[in-house]
Each structure stands twice: as structure tokens, then as C-alpha cells.
Amino acid sequence: MTTRLADHLTIGQVAQRSGVPHTALRFYEDRGLISSERSSGNQRRYPRSVLRRIAFIRAAQRVGLSLDEIGSALDTLPHDHAPTKADWARLSRDWRDELDARIDALQRLRDQLTGCVGCGCLSLKACGLHNVDDRLSQFGPGAPLLKPANEGGLE
């Protein structure tokens, strides 16, 4: 679909408006997270709706979602026009369980590390990170004492 490129933003304008470096914009485009059209001089031109997509990408990254997860979510949004409120609401519903699990993990981490001093724990018996002789390796990578049970943690 070709649109009037005069209504579009240059990569510099998008970088300035979004606060995202132009190198990251090119990376996002290479990953298929955003798209541009090309001018007659082969310069990238982005629709204004790309600013919302970029804001979404950055917010999702801040809460720890991978670019693959973000890309899958963005694939559910329309590509030929700006997403509607209903589109964003559907995406939000789809992510609710994942975000709730991440919130739970962060709260568990916060609550369980409150007693830690540096990593000279006040109680190595109760520490969620202490793993003498790697005995917890049977439960997979990471710190299983800090993971929720539905992610292989030990509650």
C-alpha cells in the first residue's frame, strides 16, 4: 500500500520523537517490529502510527518481554492502519496472565531479598539464591527458589 510519503516521518524525526536511536529503529525494522516505506531517494519514511508501536515495544521491553514475544503481539495488530482501542485492549487481555506472572515474580524477589545484606545473607538457609554444591540444578536454570511454582519454582 503506497501512501503520501510527505505525511510520513523521516528516521531522524522518529528517533527524536520516540527517544529511540536510529540504529535501534533499523534493528526493529530488520526484526519486523516496525516498517517503513522508501522515498524516491531510498530514504526510510515511517507512518506516524509507528510512534505508538515504538512506545509499546519500549514499554514491553522494560517489563522484561523478549523481542520475539513483542513481535508476536504486534503481529496481531493491523499493519495497514493505526491500531484501534479495541486492538490494544485485545492485546492487553492476551498478555494479562504473562504480566501477572512477571509481577508475582518481581514481588517474590523483592520480598525474599529484603533480608539480604550484599550477598552476605543474614540467613543462608532461607536465601532464594543460595545453592550449595549446585543441588538445585535438577530444577533447571536460574534461581528455582525465587520462581513461581507454575514456572518450575519450589514454593
Side-chain angles (χ1 to χ4, degrees):
M1 173 180 133
T2 303
T3 57
R4 286 195 46 213
L5 292 181
D7 295 336
H8 284 52
L9 303 169
T10 66
I11 193 168
Q13 291 169 320
V14 173
Q16 182 180 17
R17 297 270 309 275
S18 67
V20 175
H22 60 88
T23 53
L25 295 174
R26 288 204 269 318
F27 176 74
Y28 290 163
E29 193 168 349
D30 289 344
R31 294 287 306 258
L33 301 173
I34 62 174
S35 61
S36 67
E37 295 181 40
R38 296 294 181 142
S39 69
S40 59
N42 202 31
Q43 296 175 329
R44 288 176 168 88
R45 296 290 189 261
Y46 296 92
R48 292 182 186 282
S49 61
V50 78
L51 295 171
R52 273 181 267 168
R53 288 177 78 91
I54 293 168
F56 174 78
I57 293 166
R58 299 302 274 203
Q61 285 180 304
R62 277 194 295 278
V63 297
L65 295 170
S66 72
L67 289 179
D68 287 338
E69 291 169 309
I70 296 167
S72 293
L74 289 173
D75 285 344
T76 69
L77 298 176
H79 293 281
D80 59 342
H81 62 276
T84 65
K85 182 178 179 179
D87 293 324
W88 289 115
R90 181 182 26 70
L91 192 150
S92 175
R93 275 192 314 275
D94 292 347
W95 270 6
R96 180 168 294 281
D97 289 341
E98 175 67 24
L99 293 174
D100 286 344
R102 288 176 187 264
I103 289 167
D104 177 60
L106 287 169
Q107 288 174 334
R108 289 166 52 86
L109 178 64
R110 178 202 61 211
D111 295 346
Q112 292 180 20
L113 292 181
T114 300
C116 246
V117 178
C119 210
C121 287
L122 297 177
S123 173
L124 290 177
K125 290 180 182 176
C127 179
L129 299 175
H130 189 64
N131 184 8
V132 177
D133 299 325
D134 198 27
R135 285 182 284 177
L136 299 175
S137 65
Q138 64 183 327
F139 299 104
L145 295 175
L146 295 178
K147 292 180 185 176
N150 66 346
E151 291 182 22
L154 308 172
E155 290 194 82

